[in-house]
Amino acid sequence: MKNKSLISINDFSKEEYFKILDLAEEFQKNPNQKLLENHVVASLFFEPSTRTRLSFETAVQRLGGRVIGFSEASSTSVSKGESLKDTILTVSRYADLIIMRHPIEGSARHASVVSDKPIINAGDGSNQHPTQCLLDLYSIRKTQGTLENLNLFLVGDLKYGRTVHSLLQAMAQFNPVFNFVSPPSLRMPQEYKDHLDELGIKYYEHDQLDENINHADIIYVTRVQKERFSDPMDYEKVKNAYILKNKMLENTKPNLKILHPLPRVNEINTDVDTNEKAYYFDQAENGVYTRMAIMALMLGIK
Ligand code: CP
């Protein structure tokens, strides 16, 4: 993993996932370790973020490193017309590692080609969000004790939701059953279903969020992504397609955990927050430990 970029979840092997998850567990037990002293990490966010940016920055601080960067491109020379290539070529002269979120699919891969420092994709359009995926794997393994043979419900915006695309590819290696719950206009893209067919992984598509969830080990809820719709009317039609409420969880399995990459809008009612099956804020915390592990391994510190 040393000096390798992380652009897609497929860039790392199953063995590398486990290495990251095991190290994240160590960091959760002992989060303040000065392993990144003398390292500078660049945090370049061309698109809004709360959890990804702040958990990465927390992770760097806990490891004793320093962060440079920006949280909106309007404050940088991009607003004067500078290209992504020139921005990356410049920042790679300053920092040892670059974390980048960008609205355009493929931008992170492009950055990794021009940079001589490793790039971490913190989300590129509706394509991939691999560090979210690794913290999701960490959360699933921590709550279920295994990644194998689980019944996973992916709910909401399966078309534009980059987190579910990364999660599908990673979890497909652990013999799951997938249930996709979405409005017809936001179905899981065909290329991902073809991938599951090639691997012989079972999946079912549902229009409704109903009693089928009583068989779930994990319900992974996603926000309908307003910013990815070209026609606002299309968004209005589906924005409240599913709302998970506490009473819907009465007959669910005792081991069930509800995950959400967040931010949430309406798709999980706040009455679920106090249910012991709600795990999304713990999941957000797990992002710090997982990102500490990813950076320590990519920089060859651990
Ligand atoms: N999960 C996630 O990517 O959240 P942010 O957009 O707040 O970073």
Side-chain angles (χ1 to χ4, degrees):
M1 268 176 270
K2 190 177 173 190
N3 291 328
K4 207 168 134 180
S5 288
L6 175 55
I7 306 303
S8 154
I9 194 63
N10 294 327
D11 290 341
F12 284 172
S13 65
K14 200 168 163 178
E15 290 67 37
E16 286 170 327
Y17 300 165
F18 286 123
K19 213 169 179 178
I20 291 166
L21 304 195
D22 292 346
L23 184 56
E25 246 172 37
E26 272 184 44
F27 283 131
Q28 182 157 21
K29 288 181 201 138
N30 183 11
N32 295 305
Q33 301 188 35
K34 301 296 173 206
L35 298 169
L36 286 191
E37 273 179 342
N38 307 319
H39 284 82
V40 174
V41 173
S43 163
L44 312 185
F45 279 73
F46 297 83
E47 208 185 41
S49 167
T50 297
R51 278 144 292 273
T52 310
R53 185 171 72 81
L54 296 179
S55 64
F56 260 119
E57 293 184 12
T58 304
V60 176
Q61 308 275 1
R62 290 214 179 273
L63 291 171
R66 279 161 291 172
V67 182
I68 59 168
F70 53 83
S71 56
E72 48 183 62
S74 60
S75 64
T76 74
S77 288
V78 171
S79 64
K80 302 174 201 161
E82 186 167 51
S83 66
L84 178 62
K85 180 180 177 184
D86 286 1
T87 303
I88 295 296
L89 285 174
T90 305
V91 175
S92 66
R93 304 291 180 102
Y94 303 154
D96 303 300
L97 173 70
I98 299 173
I99 300 155
M100 186 180 97
R101 171 172 288 188
H102 198 283
I104 298 176
E105 290 83 8
S107 52
R109 183 69 70 195
H110 175 64
S112 73
V113 172
V114 300
S115 174
D116 59 358
K117 300 287 170 51
I119 302 279
I120 298 179
N121 180 8
D124 62 328
S126 58
N127 186 33
Q128 283 272 325
H129 194 350
T131 66
Q132 176 70 44
C133 182
L134 286 159
L135 80 88
D136 293 340
L137 295 185
Y138 183 80
S139 301
I140 293 171
R141 190 176 78 162
K142 194 172 168 64
T143 59
Q144 306 298 315
T146 181
L147 293 173
E148 298 283 350
N149 306 317
L150 296 171
N151 192 1
L152 303 165
F153 278 65
L154 308 184
V155 180
D157 184 349
L158 308 184
K159 180 179 179 186
Y160 297 115
R162 57 194 172 199
T163 64
V164 286
H165 300 160
S166 297
L167 189 61
L168 177 148
Q169 289 177 318
M171 286 303 296
Q173 301 179 55
F174 300 98
N175 195 37
V177 173
F178 283 111
N179 287 272
F180 301 139
V181 185
S182 72
S185 62
L186 296 177
R187 291 260 191 263
M188 182 62 75
Q190 192 58 44
E191 67 196 89
Y192 293 101
K193 293 188 277 191
D194 289 346
H195 177 63
L196 297 181
D197 287 336
E198 278 163 26
L199 296 174
I201 302 289
K202 283 191 192 137
Y203 63 87
Y204 303 94
E205 295 192 289
H206 311 268
D207 290 338
Q208 301 300 325
L209 187 62
D210 56 19
E211 63 280 359
N212 280 312
I213 62 169
N214 293 340
H215 306 289
D217 298 305
I218 293 289
I219 303 177
Y220 191 98
V221 186
T222 61
R223 175 178 65 94
V224 177
Q225 309 212 8
K226 186 179 182 182
E227 64 275 27
R228 312 268 178 238
F229 284 76
S230 48
D231 182 347
M233 286 313 293
D234 289 342
Y235 170 72
E236 290 299 319
K237 282 182 212 154
V238 291
K239 67 177 185 185
N240 289 323
Y242 308 109
I243 302 178
L244 185 68
K245 297 185 176 152
N246 209 22
K247 66 175 185 299
M248 297 163 74
L249 300 171
E250 274 169 9
N251 297 314
T252 54
K253 289 171 72 173
N255 64 306
L256 170 70
K257 291 292 177 213
I258 299 151
L259 273 61
H260 190 313
L262 303 176
R264 138 180 80 177
V265 184
N266 288 326
E267 57 279 3
I268 300 181
N269 201 311
T270 52
D271 70 359
V272 177
D273 295 357
T274 49
N275 190 311
E276 62 180 18
K277 294 174 181 175
Y279 193 73
Y280 25 93
F281 291 109
D282 299 284
Q283 181 188 358
E285 178 185 334
N286 292 340
V288 174
Y289 315 123
T290 311
R291 289 174 171 129
M292 288 169 84
I294 293 166
M295 287 189 289
L297 290 164
M298 285 175 69
L299 287 168
I301 311 293
K302 275 276 188 179

